[in-house]
Amino acid sequence: MNENKIDDYLKKQINFIKSISDSKEKIIDIHDNLIKARNSENKIFLMGNGGSASTASHFTADLLKTSIIKDEKRFMAFSLTDNIPVILAWANDTKYEDIFVGQLKNSLKEGDIVIGFSGSGNSKNVTKAFEYANNSNGVTISFTGGNGGELKKISKYNLNISDDDMLTIETGHVLICHLLTTLF
């Protein structure tokens, strides 16, 4: 029984990885925007909830360390998921949906990039931050799953994993972040 589950799971992941080839243009667009931000010294802000928060933190680390290239400018990346006291202050003093937009209001400038990870695409705190970023002439890039939800609709750039299994969606987001890191 477990062997069948293992085989089924791995086959599903292999099929998903094969489907990423359909997203090459989107991956190139995201890559090019990140390189443009690096070269023009714009900031990159990353966010998500739960496993997506973990992906935001992980990709921030890859941008800040793994992506360093000798004689090139460095990325200026900030995970909005990592400062628990700030998150809790916004959640306590206003509401949870303000935890990211409250932080962006302190630092976001025109041309900065806001990256959101959301398996459903409907995380209100992420969509609210994207609305603010769009109104502030930021560049919004989302990684979503399922049908992409609201976040897919309001993002300038979206990469959607068309699957309803959250584990496959999260695996896909990390895999694409590692692909981007390799491209840098």
Side-chain angles (χ1 to χ4, degrees):
M1 180 168 140
N2 282 337
E3 287 183 22
N4 289 338
K5 284 185 178 181
I6 292 169
D7 288 340
D8 290 345
Y9 179 83
L10 293 175
K11 284 177 188 173
K12 181 176 182 170
Q13 300 311 305
I14 289 166
N15 289 333
F16 154 70
I17 291 169
K18 287 179 182 177
S19 76
I20 292 176
S21 290
D22 297 336
S23 300
K24 283 180 192 170
E25 287 182 32
K26 292 178 182 185
I27 293 167
I28 290 167
D29 285 343
I30 292 168
H31 169 270
D32 291 350
N33 275 279
L34 291 170
I35 293 296
K36 181 180 175 186
R38 181 194 70 192
N39 293 342
S40 61
E41 299 181 353
N42 285 100
K43 294 181 288 300
I44 302 166
F45 299 96
L46 299 95
M47 67 191 79
N49 296 289
S52 294
S54 162
T55 302
S57 291
H58 185 128
F59 193 35
T60 301
D62 284 343
L63 290 170
L64 293 174
K65 175 64 175 82
T66 310
S67 297
I68 295 173
I69 300 170
K70 186 177 179 180
D71 301 324
E72 291 282 350
K73 292 183 180 182
R74 294 182 179 197
F75 288 102
M76 292 190 296
F78 305 88
S79 173
L80 302 182
T81 65
D82 292 339
N83 191 328
I84 299 302
V86 170
I87 290 170
L88 294 176
W90 279 108
N92 185 61
D93 296 345
T94 60
K95 48 193 160 202
Y96 188 74
E97 68 187 49
D98 292 336
I99 65 171
F100 299 135
V101 71
Q103 294 180 73
L104 286 178
K105 287 181 179 180
N106 292 340
S107 302
L108 184 72
K109 303 283 187 236
E110 183 175 334
D112 287 347
I113 292 180
V114 175
I115 298 176
F117 297 91
S118 176
S120 69
N122 292 313
S123 300
K124 186 64 178 163
N125 54 6
V126 178
T127 58
K128 192 168 184 179
F130 269 50
E131 289 166 354
Y132 175 78
N134 286 332
N135 290 331
S136 301
N137 295 315
V139 177
T140 51
I141 298 171
S142 63
F143 293 80
T144 57
N147 68 8
E150 183 65 22
L151 196 56
K152 180 179 178 180
K153 297 175 191 171
I154 65 171
S155 300
K156 185 164 185 181
Y157 301 95
N158 171 263
L159 201 146
N160 188 62
I161 307 298
S162 297
D163 199 296
D164 293 322
D165 177 54
M166 195 58 67
L167 296 176
T168 298
I169 294 166
E170 290 175 354
T171 297
H173 292 168
V174 171
L175 185 138
I176 292 164
C177 289
H178 283 162
L179 172 58
L180 288 164
T181 302
T182 300
L183 293 173
F184 300 137

